[in-house]
């Protein structure tokens, strides 16, 4: 997605060979017009997939998911990382290890919101080692629902998550795929223009 790649090049900061900081438009400050375009793009790619729910994880997956939800006309559910006063019992839970943060979180979704009749689109901001997506896939499986595919804003193609999820036969649509962050520069995997 050209607009997104231009934004990554102009505003992204390469913190190391493995980590890209995009807190001017995705991870802290949010660019609503870009999120709107991203949501439209996800919706366009999955418009014929019969999606009934979007599942993401707090907090940075919520903004792109909302716009995809508006365009697909379906509810958005975010898995919670923290225990909440109002979220107790009746939960699907999974463990997600973050290599970036060096911590493991339990993520939870109320059983009220995903059921066996659902066709789910999983959306997240980054795909790195795939742990967040695997946790969300696990929750969809626990609900006996179907995952139709995964939508990722930025995939780091040099890490293992993308191939791990695709090898399970799951469709992954990433709007920007990074080939390398070496020498402080962002290099993208070439794809057909959109
Ligand atoms: P994974 O579970 O695929 O290893 O990592 C996914 C999660 O880690 C994302 O939801 C994101 O929060 C965080 N993450 C992984 N790599 C990066 C990165 O290079 N930059 C930023 N900003 N977040 C990342």
């Amino acid at each position: 997605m050209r607009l997104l790649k231009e934004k990554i090049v102009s505003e992204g900061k390469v913190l190391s060979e493995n980590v890209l900081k995009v807190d001017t438009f995705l991870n802290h400050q949010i660019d609503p017009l870009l999120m709107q375009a991203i949501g439209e793009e996800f919706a366009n790619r999955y418009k014929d997939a019969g999606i009934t729910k979007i599942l993401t994880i707090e907090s940075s997956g919520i903004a792109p998911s909302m716009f995809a939800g508006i365009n697909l006309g379906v509810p958005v559910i975010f898995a919670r990382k923290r225990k909440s006063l109002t979220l107790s019992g009746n939960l699907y839970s999974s463990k997600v290890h973050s290599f970036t943060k060096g911590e493991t979180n339990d993520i939870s979704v109320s059983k009220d919101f995903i059921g066996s009749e659902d066709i789910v689109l999983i959306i997240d901001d980054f795909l790195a080692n795939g742990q967040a997506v695997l946790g969300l896939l696990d929750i969809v499986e626990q609900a006996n629902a179907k995952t139709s595919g995964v939508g990722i804003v930025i995939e780091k193609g040099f890490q293992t998550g993308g191939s791990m999820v695709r090898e399970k036969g799951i469709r992954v649509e990433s709007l920007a795929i990074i080939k390398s962050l070496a020498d402080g520069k962002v290099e993208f995997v070439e794809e057909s223009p959109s």
Side-chain angles (χ1 to χ4, degrees):
M1 186 183 169
R2 190 178 48 83
L3 194 64
L4 171 64
K5 288 184 186 171
E6 285 170 1
K7 194 82 165 173
I8 293 170
V9 169
S10 63
E11 297 186 15
K13 292 196 176 64
V14 177
L15 294 190
S16 71
E17 293 207 339
N18 291 319
V19 180
L20 175 70
K21 184 170 176 172
V22 286
D23 65 354
T24 63
F25 61 91
L26 181 60
N27 290 143
H28 195 4
Q29 176 171 259
I30 295 173
D31 180 335
L33 289 178
L34 180 64
M35 291 306 124
Q36 186 175 32
I38 284 170
E40 282 168 8
E41 183 68 29
F42 282 139
N44 195 35
R45 294 189 190 200
Y46 280 101
K47 63 179 184 297
D48 299 321
I51 307 292
T52 62
K53 297 272 168 81
I54 292 172
L55 176 63
T56 187
I57 184 164
E58 66 176 348
S59 50
S60 295
I62 296 176
S65 297
M66 279 300 298
F67 285 101
I70 289 170
N71 283 282
L72 288 169
V74 299
V76 173
I77 304 150
F78 62 94
R80 304 185 80 140
K81 288 179 183 163
R82 286 165 283 273
K83 292 265 178 295
S84 124
L85 264 185
T86 54
L87 184 74
S88 58
N90 205 32
L91 298 174
Y92 302 118
S93 291
S94 194
K95 286 203 184 303
V96 172
H97 181 72
S98 164
F99 289 98
T100 335
K101 294 182 188 142
E103 61 185 32
T104 300
N105 283 302
D106 283 313
I107 61 166
S108 313
V109 170
S110 166
K111 289 185 180 173
D112 291 342
F113 300 130
I114 309 182
S116 56
E117 68 288 357
D118 280 316
I119 301 174
V120 179
L121 170 60
I122 290 173
I123 288 182
D124 204 7
D125 59 340
F126 270 88
L127 178 56
N129 293 293
Q131 299 304 299
V133 169
L134 290 183
L136 294 171
L137 284 168
D138 180 28
I139 282 177
V140 177
E141 224 166 83
Q142 289 176 42
N144 291 315
K146 178 174 179 283
T147 298
S148 181
V150 175
I152 297 292
V153 181
I154 303 173
E155 176 178 343
K156 290 186 291 180
F158 55 89
Q159 293 181 314
T160 56
S163 45
M164 199 160 45
V165 178
R166 289 183 181 95
E167 273 162 21
K168 289 176 173 289
I170 294 165
R171 177 180 175 194
V172 180
E173 294 284 344
S174 298
L175 305 188
I177 305 181
I178 294 174
K179 189 171 163 185
S180 155
L181 293 173
D183 303 322
K185 283 204 312 268
V186 183
E187 202 185 327
F188 294 102
V189 172
E190 283 313 317
E191 52 187 317
S192 49
S194 65

